[in-house]
Amino acid sequence: MYKHFFKRFFDFFIALIGLIVLSPIFIFVTIGLYFANQGKPFFFQSRPGLNAKIFKIIKFKTMNDKKDANGNLLSDAERLTSIGAFVRKTSLDEIPQLINVLKGDMAIIGPRPLLPQYLPLYNEVQKHRHDVRPGITGWAQVNGRNAISWTKKFELDVWYVDNLSFTTDINVFFTTFKKVFKSEGISQEGQVTAEAFNGRN
């Protein structure tokens, strides 16, 4: 009952309240990133959601679009702006995803939505991460986030799908605030974010 009805109800309610409460921060960050990213405060990207259906995720844009002499984007570390680094460290870049939750693309708690090009790389077990709506935060995020391997992330994602419950969601919800406060697991060692998934790592 919770998985098929109440979870969506709570997601919508929490996202609505969250946007209202966080609106001052939303506006402040939007203005700051507008100037830091040449008028582009938001980042839109295709991601697979429930049943691998593609949707457009909305995040704050923490990196600029600077390119090298050959027209190629510079590395993530070189494109990460000062305000972008702060927004990423404090997880404020996730706030716009509350709009995705209101639309029904995402949930508050669930496996993180990854890139479409990863879909063919999943094994049969890993594919089950798409049996529920992706989340702003999730079981893998409170158990290592970007600091753990992709294999471990997917194990945690599938565990969540198999054990989805109100109790688990409450645990993830409050643990997320603790992780954000401590700035734990934001990136892999030697990386600004996380290395790309190649089907093996």
Side-chain angles (χ1 to χ4, degrees), residues 84-102:
F86 171 77
V87 169
R88 185 187 293 272
K89 181 179 181 180
T90 54
S91 294
L92 294 177
D93 57 322
E94 312 289 357
I95 293 178
Q97 290 169 70
L98 292 172
I99 298 173
N100 287 122
V101 176
L102 290 178

Side-chain angles (χ1 to χ4, degrees), residues 1-104:
M1 179 67 78
Y2 172 73
K3 177 179 179 179
H4 298 289
F5 178 74
F6 287 112
K7 180 173 174 64
R8 175 60 190 148
F9 172 80
F10 287 131
D11 283 338
F12 187 90
F13 178 76
I14 293 172
L16 182 61
I17 297 300
L19 276 175
I20 293 172
V21 172
L22 297 173
S23 58
I25 297 176
F26 187 99
I27 294 171
F28 177 78
V29 174
T30 298
I31 294 172
L33 292 175
Y34 178 88
F35 289 105
N37 296 322
Q38 295 76 50
K40 299 177 180 178
F42 299 107
F43 172 77
F44 301 89
Q45 190 176 56
S46 295
R47 298 289 177 94
L50 178 64
N51 298 320
K53 180 180 178 181
I54 303 298
F55 70 97
K56 289 287 187 181
I57 194 172
I58 311 169
K59 298 183 72 174
F60 279 128
K61 187 177 177 68
T62 57
M63 293 184 286
N64 59 39
D65 298 318
K66 291 183 178 179
K67 300 178 181 179
D68 61 22
N70 297 317
N72 300 312
L73 284 173
L74 296 176
S75 68
D76 289 356
E78 293 174 295
R79 294 187 296 117
L80 184 64
T81 62
S82 296
I83 185 174
F86 171 77
V87 169
R88 185 187 293 272
K89 181 179 181 180
T90 54
S91 294
L92 294 177
D93 57 322
E94 312 289 357
I95 293 178
Q97 290 169 70
L98 292 172
I99 298 173
N100 287 122
V101 176
L102 290 178
K103 291 172 59 182

Side-chain angles (χ1 to χ4, degrees), residues 182-198:
K182 292 185 176 181
S183 299
E184 294 180 349
I186 293 174
S187 61
Q188 289 183 331
E189 186 175 354
Q191 305 278 340
V192 172
T193 52
E195 64 176 331
F197 176 57
N198 58 25

Side-chain angles (χ1 to χ4, degrees), residues 103-116:
K103 291 172 59 182
D105 298 326
M106 295 178 63
I108 298 296
I109 313 296
R112 285 294 298 159
L114 302 176
L115 299 173

